[in-house]
Amino acid sequence: MPVTRAVPAAGPRETIRQASTAQILAAAERVFAARGFHGATMAQIAREAGLPKANLHYYFGTKERLYRAVLEGILSLWLDRAAAWITPARDPGTALAGYVRAKMADSRDRPEASRIFAGEVLAGAPRIRDYLRIELRRRVAAHAAVIEGWIAAGLMDPVAPAPLFFAIWAMTQTYADFAAKIEVVLDSRPIGPAEFAIATETVVRLVLQGCGIRKPREGDRT
Amino acid sequence: MPVTRAVPAAGPRETIRQASTAQILAAAERVFAARGFHGATMAQIAREAGLPKANLHYYFGTKERLYRAVLEGILSLWLDRAAAWITPARDPGTALAGYVRAKMADSRDRPEASRIFAGEVLAGAPRIRDYLRIELRRRVAAHAAVIEGWIAAGLMDPVAPAPLFFAIWAMTQTYADFAAKIEVVLDSRPIGPAEFAIATETVVRLVLQGCGIRKPREGDRT
DNA sequence: GAAATTCTTGACCACACGGTCAGGTTGGGC
DNA sequence: GCCCAACCTGACCGTGTGGTCAAGAATTTC
């Protein structure tokens, strides 16, 4: 019967598979984030997941395929995040402030995911280069067109779109990627909610004011 | 022995030592940047340096000590860079624009060094945590005081100093650290001088305009 | 209820890695 | 010219790694 696969109706088999893979992926995200691709070991991921090592290989085949699976989840989240905010229907103040705040929230909520991606790109993105070349470039081109539209409509200063996005990504992800540095500078405490709010608004201010957008809309939070 | 020493520089004992260590450090910087601490192998660094593996151990003892030696050179450069620009004697426009441009130039000229540092911090800075805790924190505190002074003098908007520095570091180093991502977005070409200039001025603009500094001084380049 | 399929797992490789070492070579001091 | 210390290096080693496998336990299918 046309049973939709979207919300699987949990037969024991399927449930086991989903539970195991989810457990493995979560453990892999933690370990890969902490030690990088080469530094992470399958044995450590297995221990963290509470499963024997051979089980990981049963579900994911190789270390590299497991790593890729972790990365793909992260990327699709981020790409959708941008697509949801950077649309021509919005005014630039709402869109950019909303996007920055959403991205900052991601850095707070899933810092490990961000770190894995950062490590991959740091090494030259050897394992996801093709994916980026197709998917990321396409999306950035679309967002750049939206920015150009806002500029043409006089809604913001003429700012080069690509560097603007690089700057936004850099500023927002730095709170996840370089948390160790930030903690050290801020007195060895993990950053608290109040400081995080200040940081968010600092980034929003730099972007909006830096782009010559006059009215940041405070109501548009994630 | 058909192998001629790559840097003969015929001279006393000391010259040999200096030439060898310099050669090893340069090779190590390349390999560590490309593959990270765990991914790099002593054999590969040795090959890159044109020396037998045992030679590296003769001069540096262990892989970790070699890695530390590479990192220390990078850090001292950056700390001095900030100290040279962020001084109370300057006005904020000159100082911040100069600092940003210097940092951008560093990212252009020594991207591998930047990537090694980024990888270390990504992993939680396990090998330089103590150094950061002392040296970096001290310096940031000093720079923050300078910023506060400018704010009190009405020379710029009241911007939280720490997040401001995090943002500047993030934006400038992103061009070295995430070069692979940027290349991919920009049509798979390495970024050219013209694009780099645009990127630099975009960052300068975001910082100065974002801080409510009215007169960017164009003359103060690196 | 038995055959087929999927899942689980301890034991086991082959190998690449960081590091060692003994023995050789080179260069400076006298 | 001789000696000593610094330098060089091929060959070697123990460990830890990703990955395999075969045999057994579940679960589904007929």
Side-chain angles (χ1 to χ4, degrees):
Chain A
M1 288 286 81
V3 173
T4 143
R5 269 303 158 96
V7 180
R13 262 300 158 55
E14 238 164 83
T15 309
I16 288 176
R17 182 171 207 97
Q18 286 182 343
S20 288
T21 54
Q23 221 167 335
I24 294 167
L25 284 171
E29 186 164 312
R30 264 174 284 149
V31 177
F32 279 132
R35 321 227 345 154
F37 176 76
H38 292 287
T41 72
M42 294 298 272
Q44 195 183 345
I45 295 172
R47 210 179 314 127
E48 200 94 1
L51 295 169
K53 188 176 60 133
N55 202 310
L56 315 204
H57 283 101
Y58 174 74
Y59 280 112
F60 290 94
T62 68
K63 186 186 187 183
E64 181 165 335
R65 275 212 286 276
L66 171 56
Y67 179 76
R68 276 192 150 101
V70 172
L71 269 180
E72 271 165 33
I74 303 163
L75 278 169
S76 60
L77 171 71
W78 285 355
L79 292 177
D80 293 347
R81 204 63 97 188
W85 281 103
I86 313 295
T87 65
R90 293 186 208 272
D91 68 288
T94 306
L96 289 176
Y99 178 49
V100 166
R101 290 196 183 106
K103 208 85 202 342
M104 286 293 285
D106 284 338
S107 277
R108 190 213 318 128
D109 298 335
R110 291 191 66 193
E112 278 144 344
S114 180
R115 258 174 248 150
I116 296 174
F117 182 78
E120 172 68 13
V121 175
L122 212 55
R127 281 168 274 268
I128 53 162
R129 176 150 254 170
D130 289 338
Y131 184 92
L132 292 183
R133 222 192 296 267
I134 295 167
E135 204 56 25
L136 182 63
R137 203 195 305 178
R138 192 170 65 78
R139 306 264 195 147
V140 170
H143 301 332
V146 175
I147 301 273
E148 303 282 15
W150 286 332
I151 293 171
L155 296 172
M156 58 183 283
D157 290 354
V159 177
L164 175 61
F165 278 107
F166 299 150
I168 290 175
W169 294 338
M171 287 189 286
T172 54
Q173 279 166 233
T174 204
Y175 283 89
D177 299 345
F178 302 133
K181 183 163 71 174
I182 289 170
E183 275 187 43
V184 157
V185 171
L186 262 42
D187 243 340
S188 304
R189 288 172 292 103
I191 192 170
E195 282 150 323
F196 194 83
I198 291 174
T200 300
E201 294 317 308
T202 301
V203 176
V204 169
R205 165 213 285 273
L206 286 176
V207 171
L208 296 195
Q209 215 165 303
C211 290
I213 297 168
R214 269 151 298 272
K215 289 211 163 188
R217 299 261 299 266
E218 278 298 322
D220 302 301
R221 318 196 150 254
T222 320
Chain B
M1 253 164 285
V3 175
T4 60
R5 191 79 342 103
V7 183
R13 271 280 160 67
E14 223 166 286
T15 310
I16 289 178
R17 183 170 206 97
Q18 287 182 344
S20 288
T21 53
Q23 224 168 332
I24 294 167
L25 284 171
E29 184 164 314
R30 265 174 284 148
V31 177
F32 279 132
R35 320 227 344 154
F37 176 76
H38 291 287
T41 72
M42 294 300 271
Q44 193 183 347
I45 296 172
R47 213 179 311 128
E48 200 94 358
L51 295 169
K53 187 177 60 131
N55 201 309
L56 314 205
H57 283 100
Y58 174 73
Y59 280 113
F60 289 94
T62 68
K63 186 186 186 183
E64 180 163 336
R65 273 212 286 277
L66 172 56
Y67 178 77
R68 277 193 148 98
V70 173
L71 268 181
E72 272 167 29
I74 303 164
L75 279 169
S76 60
L77 171 71
W78 285 355
L79 292 177
D80 294 346
R81 204 62 98 186
W85 281 103
I86 313 295
T87 65
R90 293 186 208 271
D91 68 288
T94 306
L96 291 176
Y99 179 49
V100 166
R101 291 195 181 105
K103 210 84 203 341
M104 287 293 284
D106 284 339
S107 277
R108 191 213 317 127
D109 299 335
R110 290 191 67 193
E112 278 143 344
S114 179
R115 258 173 248 151
I116 295 173
F117 181 78
E120 173 68 11
V121 176
L122 255 186
R127 280 168 274 269
I128 54 162
R129 176 150 255 173
D130 289 338
Y131 184 91
L132 292 184
R133 221 190 298 265
I134 296 167
E135 203 58 25
L136 182 62
R137 203 195 306 179
R138 193 170 63 79
R139 306 262 195 149
V140 170
H143 301 331
V146 175
I147 301 272
E148 304 282 16
W150 287 332
I151 293 171
L155 295 170
M156 59 184 283
D157 289 354
V159 177
L164 175 61
F165 278 108
F166 299 151
I168 290 175
W169 295 338
M171 287 190 285
T172 54
Q173 277 165 234
T174 203
Y175 283 88
D177 299 346
F178 302 134
K181 181 164 74 173
I182 289 170
E183 275 187 44
V184 157
V185 171
L186 262 43
D187 242 340
S188 303
R189 289 172 289 103
I191 193 170
E195 282 150 322
F196 193 83
I198 291 174
T200 301
E201 294 317 308
T202 300
V203 175
V204 170
R205 165 212 285 274
L206 286 176
V207 171
L208 296 197
Q209 216 165 304
C211 291
I213 296 168
R214 268 151 301 273
K215 289 210 162 188
R217 299 260 301 266
E218 279 296 324
D220 302 301
R221 319 195 147 256
T222 321

